[in-house]
Amino acid sequence: MPQPLLTQRISDRVRTSPAPVRIAWSARIRLHEGIEQVITGIQRLHYGFRDTVAWPLLARRGVGEERLESARALHHRVFDRLYDSARTAHWYV
């Protein structure tokens, strides 16, 4: 997720601030960019486990493809919102 508009506006103002403020602000931005990478990594691991372990195991146990597709759609609706919310929220914390 790109930086929220408020963060971008503050960044523009900070560019003309004294050095300690600029340094602290750039450290904050780097921290948040790192947090965003962690959230993306967790999502990849989660979805990777689902696609390579959980779903194939369910299919081997006899769960029908139609039911798996329905569960996959629900899973995406729920967890995509969760990860997107986490990406948004971390910029405000």
Side-chain angles (χ1 to χ4, degrees), residues 59-73:
R60 284 194 303 270
R61 296 283 182 187
V63 175
E65 189 61 35
E66 184 178 306
R67 201 157 185 199
L68 286 174
E69 283 304 315
S70 175
R72 183 175 282 117

Side-chain angles (χ1 to χ4, degrees), residues 14 23 28 32 43-44 56-57 60 62-63 66 70-71 77-78 81-82 84 89-90:
V14 166
I23 292 167
R28 178 192 181 275
H32 281 286
Q43 183 178 16
R44 283 188 188 135
L57 179 64
R60 284 194 303 270
V63 175
E66 184 178 306
S70 175
R77 274 196 312 274
V78 170
R81 285 183 195 163
L82 176 76
D84 289 345
H90 90 274

Side-chain angles (χ1 to χ4, degrees), residues 44-56:
R44 283 188 188 135
L45 285 172
H46 173 187
Y47 285 11
F49 178 84
R50 178 201 65 192
D51 293 337
T52 60
V53 177
W55 262 223

Side-chain angles (χ1 to χ4, degrees), residues 1 3-7 28 32 86-93:
M1 165 187 177
Q3 293 178 15
L5 186 56
L6 176 63
T7 303
R28 178 192 181 275
H32 281 286
R87 284 186 188 94
T88 300
H90 90 274
W91 282 102
Y92 296 99
V93 175

